[in-house]
Amino acid sequence: MQQFMAQLQQLFAAPGSGPVNWDLARQVAASQLASAGDPAVTPYERNAVEEALRLADLWLEPTSALPSGIHTSVAWNRNEWIYKTLDVWRKLCDPVAARMVGAMGDLVPPEARAQLGPMQSMVATLGGALFGGQLGQALGSLAAEVLSAGEIGLPLGPAGTAALLPANIREYGSGLELPEDEVRLYVALREAAHQRLFEHVPWLRGHVLSAVELYAAGITVNREAIEEAMGRVDPSNPESLQAMALEGIFTPEDTPAQKASLARLETALALVEGWVCHVVDSAAGDRLPNVVRLAEAFRRRRAAGGPAEQTFVALVGLELRPRRLREAAALWAALTEHRGIAGRDALWGHPDLLPSGDDFADPEAFARAQLDLGDLDDFDFDQLGEAGDEPGAGGEKPDAS
């Protein structure tokens, strides 16, 4: 036992605090990208990204009452995406990983805990390394596919920073057999639209992230799956950690509260993505020759879940699929028709004004409903959302489920 624990101590001596060894996660992701390739961003690509985002913001002006939310326009390579988004991943993954580490500690028999003494902390170190290695692999795969900072509907990047990944856009465009500059501009429109929402609706960032956290709080740990996973660890072979699979370790609780949490999360993601799809397609409709093909390709990409969903399902049992994306887009279109752009976007002024999941069934009825929105002509969209400025505000909306 002492020899085994000594090997573990040497194996997992890499620095790291908390339930996830994030240093190991970064190392694994960087190693994976080094093998797959991470093309450097050229000066031409940086200029092309800046120009695309500038043009996208101009095109969005007539279709959105929210002003530009871009303070900085950047082109990232894949490693930069990982580095710039890691803080949000940490916030989302640490709580679930902590439950896994706790469950691993519980697997040690009570009589053995007394014998292990201070060495019991090695179990937590093992859990942090296990999760960090798996997370690094997932982030490395995700970095090779995401097209922009806001693509998966979560505010992963720094506030006010619009970012595109030229290498990934180039590969995605070639798969669609469409001109790279047209695909880049469509991605820039989506990124600029996301920035308008998250920059000028102050409560939205906390609302979406807290919806993720609330759902994650109801995810349970399958102890039998953890015991099986631990049995596959070879303390003399560090690569055995990366070869392990965590699928099946985390499962959502089948309770009314958890179902309500999932409904709130899906509604939040669908409303954000539906608004982005509607305003982007309105802005690009008469300007991009292949806008119909691009719009449909992106809807399929998001509706299928894509790499983001695979990452969360494998690691924390959480899906980020906006299941009702088309319904949400239709609802925003109906609101535009009946209330105009200002009336539509005024709904972002407070989470209680937004449609609930039930409203998706009859967009026309919701769009025609009379709400006391005040004098929209004098509505200050620069201060939109101050009434709900508390982080996570609106997460308790009773009818959002």
Side-chain angles (χ1 to χ4, degrees):
M1 172 63 76
Q2 289 181 347
Q3 182 181 4
F4 174 75
M5 295 304 291
Q7 287 175 317
L8 280 180
Q9 189 170 18
Q10 181 178 6
L11 177 59
F12 304 120
S17 60
V20 177
N21 188 327
W22 288 99
D23 288 333
L24 179 60
R26 282 193 295 266
Q27 293 170 16
V28 170
S31 175
Q32 184 167 320
L33 288 178
S35 301
D38 185 13
V41 178
T42 66
Y44 169 80
E45 288 172 330
R46 292 190 189 279
N47 290 336
V49 164
E50 291 174 2
E51 178 60 22
L53 287 167
R54 184 194 66 79
L55 185 58
D57 247 349
L58 288 176
W59 285 9
L60 287 172
E61 281 299 314
T63 67
S64 169
L66 303 174
S68 172
I70 299 177
H71 301 301
T72 306
S73 299
V74 294
W76 286 344
N77 64 15
R78 293 160 179 170
N79 268 295
E80 284 178 302
W81 178 86
I82 291 176
Y83 179 78
K84 298 292 187 181
T85 64
L86 208 58
D87 284 345
V88 177
W89 290 115
R90 185 194 303 266
K91 181 179 178 65
L92 296 176
C93 295
D94 272 355
V96 179
R99 288 198 292 281
M100 184 194 77
V101 172
M104 291 178 66
D106 291 342
L107 291 176
V108 179
E111 59 273 15
R113 296 176 195 171
Q115 297 177 359
L116 289 175
M119 298 295 286
Q120 191 176 352
S121 63
M122 290 301 298
V123 175
T125 305
L126 170 62
L130 169 61
F131 204 90
Q134 293 285 296
L135 184 61
Q137 283 188 309
L139 290 178
S141 299
L142 189 55
E145 298 188 38
V146 293
L147 306 177
S148 67
E151 184 187 359
I152 66 174
L154 298 178
L156 294 175
T161 298
L164 306 186
L165 282 74
N168 294 354
I169 291 173
R170 182 167 58 251
E171 291 184 10
Y172 182 65
S174 65
L176 295 178
E177 297 183 344
L178 291 175
E180 181 182 345
D181 59 345
E182 194 170 343
V183 177
R184 183 195 304 115
L185 185 50
Y186 193 81
V187 175
L189 282 163
R190 293 178 54 82
E191 177 72 357
H194 275 108
Q195 291 296 332
R196 286 177 183 242
L197 266 186
F198 284 104
E199 182 70 12
H200 294 288
V201 183
W203 55 265
L204 184 59
R205 181 179 295 265
H207 178 76
V208 172
L209 294 180
S210 66
V212 174
E213 292 166 5
L214 186 63
Y215 177 72
I219 292 174
T220 56
V221 177
N222 184 333
R223 295 189 180 183
E224 292 182 0
I226 287 185
E227 192 169 10
E228 182 183 350
M230 290 179 64
R232 294 195 296 266
V233 174
D234 180 0
S236 64
N237 178 18
E239 294 183 358
S240 65
L241 280 178
Q242 297 181 34
M244 292 175 58
L246 290 180
E247 288 85 354
I249 285 182
F250 303 105
T251 55
E253 287 185 348
D254 187 20
T255 64
Q258 184 67 350
K259 290 178 180 178
S261 296
L262 178 59
R264 279 192 291 270
L265 174 58
E266 289 181 341
T267 299
L269 292 172
L271 287 173
V272 169
E273 198 67 16
W275 185 89
V276 168
C277 287
H278 174 63
V279 300
V280 165
D281 291 349
S282 298
D286 297 328
R287 294 183 170 102
L288 291 181
N290 294 291
V291 64
V292 175
R293 285 183 60 191
L294 284 164
E296 185 58 30
F298 273 81
R299 282 188 176 89
R300 288 198 305 267
R301 179 180 171 92
R302 290 294 287 124
E309 181 185 1
Q310 296 163 16
T311 299
F312 270 87
V313 170
L315 289 173
V316 295
L318 174 62
E319 293 185 358
L320 287 175
R321 179 187 304 176
R323 297 179 184 275
R324 307 181 71 180
L325 173 56
R326 292 182 187 275
E327 296 167 89
L331 194 151
W332 290 117
L335 283 164
T336 305
E337 179 183 353
H338 291 286
R339 303 191 187 186
I341 292 172
R344 178 201 68 201
D345 291 350
L347 295 183
W348 292 107
H350 193 280
D352 290 342
L353 296 176
L354 287 175
S356 70
D358 294 338
D359 295 319
F360 288 11
D362 194 347
E364 292 292 326
F366 181 83
R368 289 193 181 100
Q370 296 299 313
L371 295 178
D372 183 12
L373 298 177
D375 186 355
L376 292 178
D377 291 334
D378 297 328
F379 198 93
D380 185 357
F381 286 93
D382 285 319
Q383 300 300 320
L384 185 61
E386 281 193 348
D389 205 6
E390 290 296 324
E396 303 299 323
K397 182 182 177 185
D399 66 346
S401 61

